[in-house]
Amino acid sequence: MASLNVGNLGEYLREQRRNAQLSLRQLADAAGVSNPYLSQIERGLRKPSAEVLQQVAKALRISAETLYVRAGILDEKERDELETRAVILADPSINERQKQVLLQIYESFRKENGFETSSYADEEAESYADVDTENPETADGPRTADGSDAGPKQTPPS
């Protein structure tokens, strides 16, 4: 993990806050941190935690991973991988099973191309290990040929 580059982070936060047309006090309130603390972060005097950076990112409506990279908490490659995962997980047009399968495929391609997976990716893969991609009948119910939901499971009348 790289050392924190708080000067660069502070300048970036100030720029983002101004672009969002927020005062220091407004951003501090929205992020749930004190006004003096946020001021110290912007001036490069404080090293914020990942949690504080996440709150500030949410208030600014920017990627927390971008702030992590600026702060030296996360490197650029890890950020790209996390953002790819986030986009897949946030897509409302596909169901949870399809998201899980896509993430598994993504990881297999990364491994095939010689990229190591992050510990986050390994944890995600383990949580999806019980997904049966061979059997279209899952706990969610039957699937059509393209993998979409076919509706609730039907039990034959007795």
Side-chain angles (χ1 to χ4, degrees), residues 77 105-117:
K77 292 176 188 172
I105 292 168
Y106 174 66
E107 282 309 315
S108 70
F109 284 152
R110 286 182 52 81
K111 286 178 185 175
E112 184 178 308
N113 292 334
F115 290 95
E116 290 185 29
T117 59

Side-chain angles (χ1 to χ4, degrees), residues 81-82 85 88-89 96-97 99-111 115-133:
E81 182 182 346
L82 287 173
R85 295 175 158 289
I88 291 170
L89 292 171
E96 289 305 311
R97 182 185 150 278
K99 291 175 187 179
Q100 293 166 4
V101 171
L102 271 177
L103 289 172
Q104 287 176 331
I105 292 168
Y106 174 66
E107 282 309 315
S108 70
F109 284 152
R110 286 182 52 81
K111 286 178 185 175
F115 290 95
E116 290 185 29
T117 59
S118 67
S119 58
Y120 172 80
D122 294 338
E123 291 169 12
E124 288 291 311
E126 286 175 18
S127 70
Y128 300 142
D130 60 351
V131 174
D132 184 0
T133 57

Side-chain angles (χ1 to χ4, degrees), residues 64-76 79:
E65 288 80 14
T66 300
L67 295 185
Y68 297 160
V69 170
R70 292 276 179 167
I73 295 172
L74 187 68
D75 74 16
E76 193 75 30
R79 182 193 76 165

